[in-house]
Amino acid sequence: MWLPFWKSRDRFSIDELRYLTEQLTKIQIVNEVNKDFVIEALRSIAELITYGDQNDSSFFEFFMENQVMGQFVRILKISRTMIVSLQLLQTMSIMIQNLKSEHAIYYMFSNEYMNYLITYSFDFCHEELLSYYISFLRAISGKLDKNTISLLVKIQNDEVASFPLYVEAIRFAFHEETMVRTAVRALTLNVYHVGDDCVNRYVTSAPHADYFSNLVMFFRKQCISLNGLVSDALKNPGSDSISTILAAVDEIEDNLYYFSDVISAGIPDVGKLITDNILQLLIFPLLLPSLRIEAVNEIQIGAVASLYLICCILRIVKIKDLANTIAAALFFPLEAFRQISEVKLNGYMLGHGSIHDSQPRGSDSLIGVDGTHLRVNVPNSSSSSHIHPEVVICQSDSTGSNLTLREALLSFLTSGDDVLVLGSLGVLATLLQTKELDESMLDALGILPQRKQHKKLLLQALVGEDAGEEQLFSSEGICCELDSYLQKLKEQYGVLYSFPEEGASPRAHRFQVLDALVNLFCRSNISAETLWDGGWLLRQLLPYSEVEFNGHHLKLLKDSYRNCTIAIQQEIRGIWVDLLLTFLCDEWKMCKRAIEASAPRKEPKCILLPSQKSYSDDIIPAESSFTAGERMCELVKVFVLLHQLQIFSLGRVLPDQPPICASADVPESFRARTAGLDTSGPKPGTELRIVDAVPCRIAFERGKERHFSFLAISMGTSGWLVLAEVLPLKQQFGVVRVAAPLAGSNPRIDDKHSRWLHVRIRPSTLPFLDPAKSGAYGKVKTKALVDGRWTLAFRDEESCKSALSMILEEAKLQSNEVERRLKPLFDLEKPVESSNPSVSPPKASSSYITPSNLF
């Protein structure tokens, strides 16, 4: 066994390979004594074969002539240690992955050794062994093509009788480890993309077709789990809940992309198989019944998660039948699908394959059947009804279940909370952008963009189709595409229904959508960001003018705009008047860009994420400047949207900038001119004339009073409270030491000390607009939220009143300038000339200088 010690072998040589093979042949049992040698021998053989494949073909010829693969199988049989099994699987994986020669691959796959290793009963209680095994299977799948795949299957009567690689892999398709599931899916895609007809028939035949049903069942469980996370996050919002939801969303979207990849492989009937399973295991019994505002205990998923999942399925799984069936289902009453969700599965046949006892244990109730059909049995709600009870859909109840799902979505816009509105808009936007949906289906839903509608009807008129010319501007007619899918739902899926909207025209449905959107814009309890999404949808439907708005719509929009205008005018005298113009100009551009974009700004997963407050209620009092700033920003966003909708409703072109007056060249404030203040503002160290200043004392630290000259100055839309130190050699001049915003100072004389003046010092900018003052997930640092306070002590009561009067006068001048510049914005009846300049004011953050120790 031992070679003479003076004879050395070249490591990368046939002699070394021969020596290792001979030593393995002599081993009769693998135990703790010789396991290290066996492991090293297996590792070295893999290295030598890989080397030989790239440099010397004689290495692999020796490997074949000496049946080394047979030795590998023998070693596995006589091994009593798991670590040898690990090394053998790793050795095989390395060899398969690195072999480039087709001849070598064919040899590896052409005998039963490979299938023996695939079907060997490994002890998968050891997680590491399972990981190596799955890697081994995936390595094999990476070498599959139409020639090699035939070496791994058994044929009987010209059909595939067994395919161990595929069958053993999908056993682990739903393993708890994500990496294992990912590897199995990569393997199955490698199999599907080979394109072998016999293999394709094998994977779509019973019982192997159950894999696709089980995939949807696994996905269904993930959806229910996601709903639980969303419900918990709504009760206890926080950064941890968001990260957990995002992780679950990633898995769900990965599943859907896997469905899409499977379909793209082009295997006949797989698309229909997946469509049937998604519809009958998920859409019909679970998602559609959840589209209601009120909570229903027996439903396993909430409306928020349901809306998100419908969006994702439509966006990712590109199947025409699936998209159109979901769209057609929106014309069913909600009650139909609610009752379907209450019936338990008792075995049913899909179009291709069935669910058998192989269904995973503990699976949730799926969908009800009656024979081979889905049946909705509704009790007769009226003794005088002459319609058969079996097809009556709840005619009247207090829960709104008589509404169609399409109407339920629209009811979210008018009655739902912010999250439901966002979800409903997301579904409508997704439907509008789903290319797999026929335009006639979008027309029936009432969401066909106006330009597409006119294009379609114009083409019909040009080619002389039925009544095309009359329909060009009336948009009347029956949607043939919708009728065919409604009939398909009845005949193929067996849903018996009474269609309450029969005879309703697409024009009526379109009016309902517009009516819901207009009512949405009039709601005061919906966030501006969500309203912007509604603005995007409206502009998609009506890109040109007010042609489809009726008088009622225009009145509602105008009244809502008028109320918002009054609130904005109140902000002119508010705490953040100095930022009002800047923020309005910025939001104008952002809103215009948002509603004119080709796609919505947000991804569907935003529906699931609870709105995060940038502060805690117990930290920030309701009267703080920060709370007022958030309220002002939200108000400006709503005002900008409503103003742009008003311009749109008047048939005007939306300008890139808001129609405001240019800033005045000369500051109106007499004190600013007297002080010699330039446009850069009173920066620390700036020299000013202080003839109008009032001497005062202030202590920034306990026991350390300092003497300053106090001055309030406004310049255009900006204003400051200035504390300056008198220059000893220039008595009428002083150096600025501290400057704070004039706006929001809220000055008041102390009730007990008539020489004391209290002034609020708010931050120079809103913290949530400044990334430097925000932490993770938009949380604002607590230090940035605190308003400062100055207590100025004057030498007498008259001086104190003079300082108070100075602040009020300068604040009024500042507000008047903002009001002057905004005046054209409020005069919608007067057309805005294109030459009218619109100059955005300088950023407030560059105008305000505040010492860091004040905030």
Side-chain angles (χ1 to χ4, degrees), residues 165-186:
L165 175 66
Y166 181 78
V167 172
E168 294 300 319
I170 63 175
R171 285 177 53 207
F172 303 97
F174 311 108
H175 193 270
E176 60 184 8
E177 288 293 329
T178 303
M179 296 300 293
V180 173
R181 297 198 303 269
T182 301
V184 170
R185 291 179 181 184

Side-chain angles (χ1 to χ4, degrees), residues 49-187:
I49 295 302
T50 301
Y51 168 81
D53 184 67
Q54 299 174 8
N55 297 279
D56 187 348
S57 61
S58 62
F59 281 76
F60 199 80
E61 290 175 2
F62 178 90
F63 183 85
M64 292 187 296
E65 291 171 0
N66 291 271
Q67 294 290 310
V68 179
M69 277 286 291
Q71 290 298 323
F72 286 174
V73 171
R74 189 181 68 84
I75 290 295
L76 181 62
K77 290 179 180 179
I78 63 176
S79 174
R80 296 181 179 178
T81 61
M82 182 199 69
I83 193 169
V84 172
S85 299
L86 286 176
Q87 183 57 56
L88 180 61
L89 289 172
Q90 186 182 49
T91 295
M92 294 302 300
S93 297
I94 291 173
M95 290 173 59
I96 294 170
Q97 287 174 345
N98 290 282
L99 289 176
K100 306 297 182 184
S101 167
E102 289 186 6
H103 175 66
I105 294 296
Y106 288 165
Y107 172 77
M108 297 288 288
F109 289 2
S110 62
N111 52 63
E112 281 302 305
Y113 293 134
M114 194 64 68
N115 277 338
Y116 180 85
L117 293 175
I118 292 172
T119 56
Y120 186 79
S121 298
F122 292 100
D123 183 6
F124 292 126
C125 292
H126 302 279
E127 293 183 4
E128 189 178 9
L129 183 60
L130 176 60
S131 176
Y132 277 79
Y133 176 74
I134 295 297
S135 296
F136 165 62
L137 298 185
R138 185 173 181 177
I140 296 173
S141 73
K143 297 295 182 178
L144 293 180
D145 57 31
K146 286 193 175 182
N147 295 318
T148 57
I149 199 170
S150 62
L151 304 174
L152 296 173
V153 300
K154 291 183 179 179
I155 303 295
Q156 186 176 352
N157 297 327
D158 295 328
E159 293 292 340
V160 174
S162 70
F163 188 7
L165 175 66
Y166 181 78
V167 172
E168 294 300 319
I170 63 175
R171 285 177 53 207
F172 303 97
F174 311 108
H175 193 270
E176 60 184 8
E177 288 293 329
T178 303
M179 296 300 293
V180 173
R181 297 198 303 269
T182 301
V184 170
R185 291 179 181 184
L187 182 152

